[in-house]
Structure formats: C-alpha cells, structure tokens
Amino acid sequence: MQQVGKPVTGKEFIGRGKELALLMEYMKMGQSVVLVAPRRFGKTSLVLEALSRLKKQNYYTAFVDVFTNPTLDLLSKAITEEVLKNHKLHKHFISAKNSATAMVQNIKLKAVLDDFQFIIGFADPSKNQWELLAESIDFVDAFGKKHKTKMICAYDEFGDIKKFDPKGDLVKLFRSKIQQQSNTTYIFSGSYETVMQNMFVSSKAPFYRLARIIHLEYMEKGVLVANLAKKSKELEIKLSAKYIEEIVGLCQCHPYYSQLAFQQLVLFNTLNGRIPDLGELTEYLLSAEKDYLEKVWEDISNNREYVHTLVTIAENGQNIYKRLKPKNINVARATKKLEGMGLLFRDDVKGYYISDPLLQIWIKNNI
C-alpha cells in the first residue's frame, strides 16, 4: 500500500531516532514534554510510537486527540475510554455509556465502577459536563495509582483547546488538576508555536515550567532517501539514486511530502507507463494538495502584511526588511506571527523560509 497522511508506527515508522529516544527518556524520568511542529511533520506518529514502546515496558498509556473531540462531552469520554483501554474495558464502556443500568450490570465494568463511580455519570444527561471532565482528568492519574502502574498520557493538538475555550477556563481546569498529579507524565503536542508558547513557555503561561519543549525539524535526508529506495525496489520500479535524491530535495526533507511524492510517482507510472520527470511530479503534487494549499492561503489572505511577507520570502528569504520597506510592512510583526503559525522558519544562513515547500511553489506559481 502507498497510503499517506495517516500516523504510522512499528515497521512503517522511520527516522526520528534522536527525538524518539529523548521523548522516551523524559517519560521515564517523569518529565512532561511539549512537542511542537507544523502540521504533517510526524508529531502524532512520533507520539504513538513512543507510547507503543512504553506500553511494552509495562506503562499504562492514553492518547487523546483534542482536534477530533472539540466539546467537553466528547473530550471527557475520549479521556475515559483511553484510560480504560489499559484493561481492555473501553468497548464495554462505549456500548454501555448511555445507560446506567447497562453499566452496573456489565460484569467487567463493575470492578471499575466500584472505585470510580463518576463513570456512571456519562449515562446521566443532566450531569454537569465540567464535573465529568474534571473527574475524567483525575481518572487518568487515579487509575494508574490504583493499579500501581505509571501512566503516560498524550494530548495531541492540545493547542486546539483554545478554539472552544476562549476564556481559558478549560486550560485552568487542566492546570489545576495536572499539577496535583504524581503518577502521570504528559505529552502535549501542538502545531501552532505561538499558542503552545503562550500556554507553556511564557512566565505568565498556565503551564509555565511544567514541561520541556521539543521542536521537530525536517527529517534526515539519508533516512528518506533510503526509505524511498527500499520502497521502489519492493515495487520493482527502477529509480536512480540521483532521482531519489532529487525527490527528497524537491520536498526539502519534509516527511509527509516525501511520502506523497513517492505515492504520486507510483500513480503516474501506473497511468503513463514511465517515471515522471521532476516537473511532472511537481504538478502531480500540487494537484493532490490543491485544496489544502488554497485553504492555507485563504486563511491568511485577508492580512496584507502576511501576504506581502510570504510572497517576498517565497522568492528569497534574504534582506526581506529592505525589500519590503517600500510596501510599508511591519516585517518584525508579520514574521513573528507567521512563525507562530508554523508557516515560517528562520535559519542563520538562509534567512526566513516557508516551512511548507509545496506552499512556497504554489505561491510562486499563483500569487
């Protein structure tokens, strides 16, 4: 299969050796971590691989995707289900959660209910959702303590909490609960650097000094080249070493785009009976990502400073202050905001550059 876009673990997980080792050591030390990178940089795969390995070392684990659970009800249910997975009770909870009678009569759930009565509240429509969520957050730590096992809990896209918690009450609830826990270590991952810094790094942040920050960079070139060479050999597609390196170079070692490029190469070869040249492959990539790229641009296009800054950097990341001066752009403000959104990176040699290589090409071609 040449499927891309979904998290991978096990044999499909490649690279990130240093980041994985660092993340796991922090977990074993009981040190919570914040993992920051733009979307599709492999954060979720890294977290799931770490949890998978830690589970084999007899840790309890929980993985909660905040992005797909954007209400108090969904979030509290997701947390509880993930904790129950450690005893393979989540399916019983899912099937019985709408009926208190069904829960009480479920023999496998009964032992848990005796210790954690709050779970019955999921079957009560009148139950206060904030109370349920608060008890679910406590459940993460208490369940591990009850069974004398350390818990590792990951909240993926944790920054998305801000989207349905404009006043910050939910963040305060998490902080008040987590800072009292002693048996659980947390991984918080997020795509928006500004949001995550405001939550964890700033001296006024609610989670100030709670966690260590790990920034994910692009993948190692050698790892991607070796992986694509292996895949092409398995599919009996003859690709020169130079061509494979050109693919990785086109994608600038971006983990998602490198895999997508190979998928589109296979598709082109199947439909046309030959390997695409680099220009043809680029067009296939742009076509595959058209909706996504247009949505990214739509989200920032109403801001004049963002538009001019990105267009200028797409051409060249050097001397942007001088080049944007005639347009009366506050470059410092624009670049800081765009970095915080995960759209820009900065390098001492290259200057500023767009983190998404296809977005850079798309801007050059269309704007």
Side-chain angles (χ1 to χ4, degrees):
M1 292 180 66
Q2 302 305 319
Q3 189 178 58
V4 298
K6 288 188 176 181
V8 295
T9 57
K11 293 180 180 179
E12 294 299 314
F13 182 84
I14 63 169
R16 300 294 189 204
K18 293 180 181 178
E19 296 93 335
L20 179 61
L22 179 61
L23 180 58
M24 290 186 64
E25 284 306 308
Y26 272 141
M27 293 300 99
K28 293 174 184 178
M29 291 166 62
Q31 175 60 63
S32 294
V33 164
V34 174
L35 193 62
V36 183
R39 292 191 188 276
R40 307 197 293 187
F41 255 57
K43 295 186 301 299
T44 303
S45 293
L46 176 61
V47 171
L48 289 174
E49 181 65 19
L51 293 180
S52 175
R53 296 189 185 194
L54 288 164
K55 198 173 189 69
K56 292 175 182 176
Q57 296 177 27
N58 299 317
Y59 287 84
Y60 282 170
T61 65
F63 177 85
V64 181
D65 185 353
V66 176
F67 179 76
T68 58
N69 295 285
T71 67
L72 296 181
D73 178 55
L74 289 173
L75 189 57
S76 55
K77 286 177 181 175
I79 294 170
T80 303
E81 287 172 18
E82 281 296 309
V83 173
L84 290 173
K85 276 184 181 180
N86 289 285
H87 281 197
K88 299 182 179 179
L89 295 172
H90 58 295
K91 291 183 179 179
H92 296 279
F93 170 68
I94 293 170
S95 63
K97 65 186 176 187
N98 293 323
S99 167
T101 302
M103 282 193 186
V104 173
Q105 291 179 346
N106 189 301
I107 296 175
K108 291 188 179 295
L109 276 180
K110 189 176 184 304
V112 180
L113 295 176
D114 287 343
D115 295 306
F116 303 102
Q117 286 286 321
F118 87 94
I119 295 177
I120 297 177
F122 284 106
D124 181 2
S126 65
K127 179 74 174 180
N128 184 285
Q129 295 300 313
W130 281 94
E131 289 181 13
L132 267 181
L133 180 59
E135 290 175 302
S136 296
I137 297 170
D138 284 338
F139 184 45
V140 175
D141 197 61
F143 189 81
K145 275 186 178 179
K146 168 71 179 176
H147 298 285
K148 298 179 181 179
T149 303
K150 290 292 183 182
M151 173 75 78
I152 309 296
C153 180
Y155 286 103
D156 198 24
E157 297 299 348
F158 189 68
D160 279 15
I161 276 182
K162 289 283 188 179
K163 294 181 180 179
F164 60 100
D165 180 38
K167 295 181 179 180
D169 294 333
L170 189 51
V171 172
K172 291 176 183 176
L173 174 63
F174 269 92
R175 178 196 62 191
S176 66
K177 295 294 183 180
I178 289 174
Q179 67 184 4
Q180 300 298 324
Q181 297 179 357
S182 59
N183 192 65
T184 304
T185 306
Y186 287 89
I187 303 171
F188 303 94
S189 71
S191 301
Y192 298 98
E193 185 167 347
T194 298
V195 173
M196 299 304 282
Q197 286 197 356
N198 289 341
M199 294 173 73
F200 292 94
V201 181
S202 166
S203 60
K204 295 182 180 180
F207 293 101
Y208 182 54
R209 290 186 172 177
L210 173 74
R212 296 289 180 268
I213 313 296
I214 298 178
H215 291 270
L216 279 192
E217 305 291 341
Y218 295 105
M219 290 276 285
E220 306 96 320
K221 180 180 178 181
V223 170
L224 289 172
V225 168
N227 179 253
L228 296 188
K230 177 184 176 183
K231 285 187 172 183
S232 62
K233 185 176 181 180
E234 289 173 350
L235 294 176
E236 298 182 349
I237 298 176
K238 293 183 179 180
L239 303 177
S240 69
K242 180 183 178 183
Y243 183 71
I244 293 174
E245 289 200 7
E246 287 176 342
I247 293 175
V248 174
L250 170 68
C251 299
Q252 296 179 18
C253 296
H254 191 293
Y256 169 75
Y257 285 140
S258 296
Q259 301 303 318
L260 179 65
F262 186 75
Q263 180 201 62
Q264 295 301 304
L265 180 153
V266 172
L267 178 63
F268 186 99
N269 183 59
T270 301
L271 296 176
N272 299 280
R274 64 179 178 83
I275 304 301
D277 61 38
L278 219 55
E280 291 170 325
L281 182 57
T282 301
E283 289 303 314
Y284 258 55
L285 285 169
L286 290 171
S287 177
E289 293 295 290
K290 181 177 181 292
D291 292 341
Y292 169 75
L293 296 170
E294 289 179 351
K295 181 63 170 63
V296 171
W297 188 256
E298 179 185 337
D299 289 344
I300 60 96
S301 60
N302 288 331
N303 188 303
R304 176 178 172 273
E305 289 188 342
Y306 294 171
V307 169
H308 284 294
T309 301
L310 284 174
V311 170
T312 300
I313 292 173
E315 296 171 356
N316 186 333
Q318 299 287 348
N319 302 317
I320 61 170
Y321 283 82
K322 181 178 179 180
R323 292 159 58 204
L324 284 168
K325 187 176 180 179
K327 298 185 181 296
N328 194 28
I329 299 294
N330 188 327
V331 179
R333 179 173 60 196
T335 53
K336 183 178 180 180
K337 290 288 187 180
L338 290 167
E339 280 186 276
M341 293 161 64
L343 291 174
L344 279 188
F345 285 158
R346 186 176 184 180
D347 181 84
D348 291 337
V349 178
K350 294 168 59 178
Y352 286 103
Y353 59 100
I354 296 173
S355 61
D356 186 320
L358 272 194
L359 179 62
Q360 178 170 345
I361 296 171
W362 185 89
I363 291 173
K364 284 183 176 180
N365 290 351
N366 295 279
I367 306 300

